[in-house]
Amino acid sequence: MKDLNKRFKGWIFIYCALILMGCKGPEKGTEFLFLIKTASMIITSSDFIEELDLKRTAYPYDIEENPMGYNEMVMDLVQTLSKEILFLSAAADKGVNVTDQEVGAAEDEFKKDYPEDSFEHILLKNAISYPLWKKRFKKNMIMEKFIDQELKQKIEITAQDIVGFYKKYIIADIQKKDENTPGLKKIENEKELVSSLRLQKAQDHYDEWIQQLYKDYPVQINMEKLKTFLIDIEKSEVKENEKEN
């Protein structure tokens, strides 16, 4: 069930900060600057540069010497930001948000896994300021809340679903364990069983659901501006050949 949960829990916050989001509402006169946008949010080229610089910290320092690998990194960031701006735009439209109190409580809970000042050391090591991290932390909370509200909680669970899930996943698991294992205790918790089933069904509907989101909140990518972030592989190969000769 942990693998299923990762799909919807999304990002581990401290590492997600390395793939930063610079979404903001479109300002009058800046539309032409966009790299990625929806009808209500925009990521500019300058936003993308900042995010790309931070994403590169997770890659070898000489990543540019591998043009194909570098371009894959850039396109991975584009894909990530496109999905994030989609979720945030839809969340804003649906009125999904989190309060400062909710963010504070979630942050306190999160930091329990980082004794003393180890959390601050991780931020420093990855060149991430605390205010910036907290801003991304809040955005991730909004996206997680939106997915839970608009996908997971709208999944209908029938008695037949529960019986089928029990037979398919739980009984098979119990046969491998003694009666005193956590697996048996999990079965006795009906709330946990329904939650696991809901997560499974949500995963089954995820692709269809997100495709509809893209239709409702189209994401536009400025391909001409995107080219400026990519390495021209043909030119790169020519330069490499010239060096060798």
Side-chain angles (χ1 to χ4, degrees), residues 25-193:
E27 299 175 8
K28 195 171 182 179
T30 63
E31 283 279 329
F32 69 96
L33 296 175
F34 87 93
L35 181 66
I36 307 172
K37 73 174 182 177
T38 62
S40 60
M41 293 186 179
I42 183 172
I43 300 174
T44 66
S45 293
S46 58
D47 293 328
F48 192 80
I49 289 172
E50 179 186 35
E51 295 155 359
L52 185 58
D53 285 342
L54 288 167
K55 183 176 176 63
R56 288 180 64 174
T57 63
Y59 287 78
Y61 72 92
D62 58 350
I63 181 65
E64 289 188 21
E65 295 181 11
N66 177 6
M68 186 171 295
Y70 181 86
N71 288 347
E72 287 178 356
M73 177 187 67
V74 171
M75 295 309 297
D76 178 69
L77 181 58
V78 170
Q79 183 179 22
T80 297
L81 296 181
S82 295
K83 186 175 292 186
E84 290 182 355
I85 196 175
L86 167 70
F87 286 148
L88 290 175
S89 297
D93 185 52
K94 298 289 185 180
V96 177
N97 207 339
V98 292
T99 65
D100 291 339
Q101 290 76 12
E102 289 175 317
V103 175
E107 181 181 348
D108 290 341
E109 184 66 26
F110 174 77
K111 287 183 177 179
K112 288 181 180 179
D113 293 331
Y114 296 88
E116 299 180 352
D117 58 352
S118 61
F119 173 74
E120 287 72 16
H121 284 165
I122 293 175
L123 293 183
L124 182 62
K125 180 180 179 181
N126 292 291
I128 302 171
S129 69
Y130 171 74
L132 187 56
W133 176 86
K134 189 164 184 176
K135 182 179 179 181
R136 308 315 182 197
F137 185 81
K138 181 177 181 178
K139 287 184 177 181
N140 283 320
M141 285 185 65
I142 293 173
M143 289 186 283
E144 183 178 325
K145 184 175 182 179
F146 171 72
I147 293 172
D148 182 74
Q149 174 180 305
E150 296 299 316
L151 176 61
K152 291 172 64 177
Q153 296 307 318
K154 291 186 176 181
I155 296 293
E156 295 183 1
I157 304 295
T158 66
Q160 290 79 6
D161 290 331
I162 294 176
V163 172
F165 183 78
Y166 180 90
K167 290 180 178 179
K168 185 175 181 181
Y169 293 98
I170 307 302
I171 293 181
D173 188 53
I174 285 297
Q175 291 175 347
K176 300 177 182 179
K177 301 176 181 179
D178 296 327
E179 292 187 356
N180 293 325
T181 62
L184 183 58
K185 293 179 181 178
K186 186 174 183 180
I187 293 176
E188 296 172 349
N189 188 333
E190 183 178 348
K191 185 177 180 180
E192 183 105 12
L193 178 63

